[in-house]
Amino acid sequence: MVKKYSGFNLFVNSLSYNENWQKIWRSPQPKRSYDIVVVGGGGHGLATAYYLAKNHGMRNIAVVEKGYLGGGNTGRNTTIIRSNYLWDEAAQLYELSLKLWEGLSQELNYNVMFSQRGVLNLGHTLQDMRDIERRVNANRLNGIDGEVVAPKRIKEIAPLINISSSCRYPILGASWQPRGGTARHDAVAWGYARAADALGVDIIQQTEVTDIRIENGRVLGAETSKGFIQTPKLACVVAGHSGPVAALAGLRLPVESRPLQALVSEPLKPCLDTVVMSNAVHGYVSQSDKGDLVIGAGVDGYNGFGQRGSFHIIEHTLQAICELFPAFSRVRMNRQWGGVVDVCPDACPIISKTSVDGLYFNCGWGTGGFKATPGSGYVFADTVANDRPHRLAAAFDIERFNTGALIDEHGAAGVAH
Ligand code: FAD
Ligand code: PYC
């Protein structure tokens, strides 16, 4: 039951450094065995556990997280949500996700602050505009909202943007997805965690999976920093750490881990109530509910696991943002950070069984997996529960790297890899 707090209680509890506050999920010690262990307590792992419990009636599940919930890319991303991908397979998966976002606060009874403020993907060259037209047409054939808009309309949507034709990369148009937007990243992790915990899922933080025990081609369980946990099904959702975790099972995944940075400004009065992305000048920006400008760009140009990036990327990103929004050149930046994203050669995820029975991977979301959190958890839970790909996950099986049936979404990924 959710405890009610009066204003006085709130005041007293604030002085207790949260000690008396009701915890919104339990922190159990790991049991000796579970029916399924999900490795990784980011949004995707927590959503997977939630849908395993909710849609598949499974109760004996653990989520094992080496740090704290959402401390990976989930809590480090710029929270842009859209479903305007080019190819049917990707568009349908991201659109499932967008539909789930539309009811997620109600579903979880937790405000994930999903805000459908629309997303503009700008075009600066004739080739950009051809690509945008092709993508918008493909989206509409898939029943996904989208239109091609001209600079005048872009200026109405984002009045501070510079649509002058005399700048270095003039804006020629954009794709506009009104149902796209943003959500509050840590609320997504916490909302799924609370709902999963209420269905009996054990959420175990500060516990690293250090080895995967396999016998006769089957998973037996995971060695962790809190001891061995037996399980017939291990579902790995560890984003930038997918390569090293797969190596624990002797597997090599077609992913590369790269730093991806973001930064936020000092808080401003409301001045941008949509999301603007530009692949050509290379930056994206939205304004958070606190007023900060939330800004990002492309991945750093080298592989690595450090959650930081190179200074020249920050400089380049801010040049791009100032080119689009000259007024922002006077804004001071507050904080900068990096995450580690796992990038597949076709800029699409892997949602898949593996050659080891009972071992599953959901990874390779690269720079764009936050938007997919609900849909990814939904189809991965179904895949793991039934030991066969969900209909919308089938095209994302790891086998595509053997068959060559790649789904090239570099264009729609909107962020350079
Ligand atoms: P994570 O949140 O990274 O969770 C994986 C978890 O696994 C981590 O918490 C980690 O600690 C844990 N883990 C790793 N190894 C182990 C182990 N051995 N044992 C136990 N636990 C382990 N996507 C968008 O759609 N829109 C955006 O605007 C966007 N912007 C981005 C901006 C930045 C700066 C970054 C870094 C990413 C961005 N992304 C964006 C991508 C998005 O953040 C990710 O694709 C998504 O959050 C991945 O979620 P996840 O739950 O799979 O991974
Ligand atoms: O995939 O839309 C996206 C995105 C925006 C910023 C980072 N990724």
Side-chain angles (χ1 to χ4, degrees):
M1 207 185 73
V2 176
K3 205 157 135 191
K4 295 239 164 20
Y5 289 106
S6 68
F8 180 70
N9 271 342
L10 270 179
F11 172 70
V12 171
N13 285 331
S14 72
L15 298 180
S16 76
Y17 296 99
N18 299 346
E19 269 172 24
N20 300 331
W21 288 53
Q22 190 185 19
K23 300 281 188 292
I24 68 169
W25 57 80
R26 298 163 298 126
S27 292
Q29 285 304 310
K31 293 194 280 190
R32 286 164 60 95
S33 83
Y34 290 93
D35 295 339
I36 300 184
V37 172
V38 177
V39 187
H44 289 228
L46 293 163
T48 302
Y50 170 73
Y51 291 115
L52 278 166
K54 167 87 188 316
N55 295 351
H56 302 281
M58 310 206 58
R59 291 292 182 270
N60 191 25
I61 304 171
V63 175
V64 178
E65 163 56 48
K66 74 173 178 179
Y68 59 92
L69 300 189
N73 292 337
T74 298
R76 293 164 184 268
N77 86 96
T78 48
T79 78
I80 298 174
I81 295 171
R82 56 193 174 83
S83 63
N84 54 359
Y85 281 70
L86 177 65
W87 299 105
D88 295 353
E89 297 87 343
Q92 285 165 11
L93 182 59
Y94 287 102
E95 180 59 17
L96 164 72
S97 219
L98 186 43
K99 291 209 169 79
L100 290 170
W101 280 112
E102 285 171 332
L104 197 60
S105 293
Q106 287 78 7
E107 163 90 21
L108 301 178
N109 188 25
Y110 198 92
N111 188 359
V112 299
M113 297 166 77
F114 179 49
S115 159
Q116 291 181 294
R117 58 186 67 183
V119 175
L120 284 166
N121 290 92
L122 303 178
H124 301 261
T125 63
L126 286 177
Q127 187 58 47
D128 278 356
M129 291 313 298
R130 285 190 201 109
D131 291 343
I132 283 172
E133 280 160 21
R134 179 180 181 214
R135 189 162 42 78
V136 168
N137 285 335
N139 291 159
R140 291 168 79 124
L141 289 171
N142 270 317
I144 293 170
D145 62 317
E147 47 186 297
V148 179
V149 289
K152 186 164 167 285
R153 174 79 182 115
I154 296 171
K155 187 80 179 161
E156 285 164 11
I157 297 168
L160 287 181
I161 206 163
N162 178 17
I163 55 164
S164 156
S165 56
S166 60
C167 61
R168 186 171 170 90
Y169 296 106
I171 295 170
L172 302 186
S175 69
W176 167 236
Q177 185 177 24
R179 285 167 61 243
T182 57
R184 175 76 205 169
H185 45 23
D186 26 41
V188 174
W190 300 337
Y192 271 119
R194 187 178 78 153
D197 172 86
L199 292 172
V201 173
D202 281 0
I203 293 170
I204 302 163
Q205 299 183 72
Q206 306 297 340
T207 306
E208 181 170 0
V209 168
T210 52
D211 205 357
I212 297 175
R213 218 187 272 178
I214 297 168
E215 206 173 85
N216 298 328
R218 270 216 69 84
V219 160
L220 291 185
E223 299 288 354
T224 78
S225 48
K226 290 191 179 151
F228 179 68
I229 305 178
Q230 192 182 342
T231 184
K233 289 190 175 185
L234 201 60
C236 303
V237 204
V238 292
H241 296 90
S242 300
V245 171
L248 299 177
L251 302 179
R252 187 153 177 244
L253 297 177
V255 292
E256 291 189 336
S257 291
R258 309 279 284 272
L260 180 66
Q261 306 187 51
L263 55 162
V264 289
S265 73
E266 61 188 334
L268 306 177
K269 288 182 183 167
C271 59
L272 179 65
D273 64 358
T274 189
V275 179
V276 177
M277 299 183 67
S278 165
N279 217 350
V281 301
H282 221 161
Y284 36 89
V285 57
S286 65
Q287 189 172 24
S288 78
D289 294 342
K290 280 190 297 179
D292 325 349
L293 297 176
V294 181
I295 293 171
V299 293
D300 275 59
Y302 52 88
N303 294 347
F305 297 96
Q307 290 180 320
R308 69 185 76 88
S310 324
F311 189 71
H312 71 271
I313 300 276
I314 306 173
E315 203 174 351
H316 172 82
T317 305
L318 292 174
Q319 279 164 357
I321 297 302
C322 293
E323 170 123 7
L324 298 175
F325 292 92
F328 292 166
S329 63
R330 301 181 59 190
V331 177
R332 285 167 297 192
M333 293 300 129
N334 235 352
R335 288 181 294 119
Q336 172 276 348
W337 63 90
V340 185
V341 297
D342 47 330
V343 179
C344 275
D346 58 355
C348 272
I350 295 169
I351 309 170
S352 190
K353 296 171 60 167
T354 67
S355 54
V356 177
D357 279 347
L359 182 65
Y360 307 84
F361 267 85
N362 179 347
C363 60
W365 292 93
T367 60
F370 179 70
K371 67 174 82 61
T373 305
S376 157
Y378 190 98
V379 301
F380 193 46
D382 185 87
T383 302
V384 175
N386 297 304
D387 195 38
R388 52 102 190 91
H390 179 278
R391 182 176 57 82
L392 295 183
F396 300 98
D397 197 281
I398 198 167
E399 261 307 292
R400 76 178 187 275
F401 296 98
N402 286 328
T403 63
L406 304 187
I407 307 159
D408 187 346
E409 285 290 1
H410 278 97
V415 179
H417 295 68

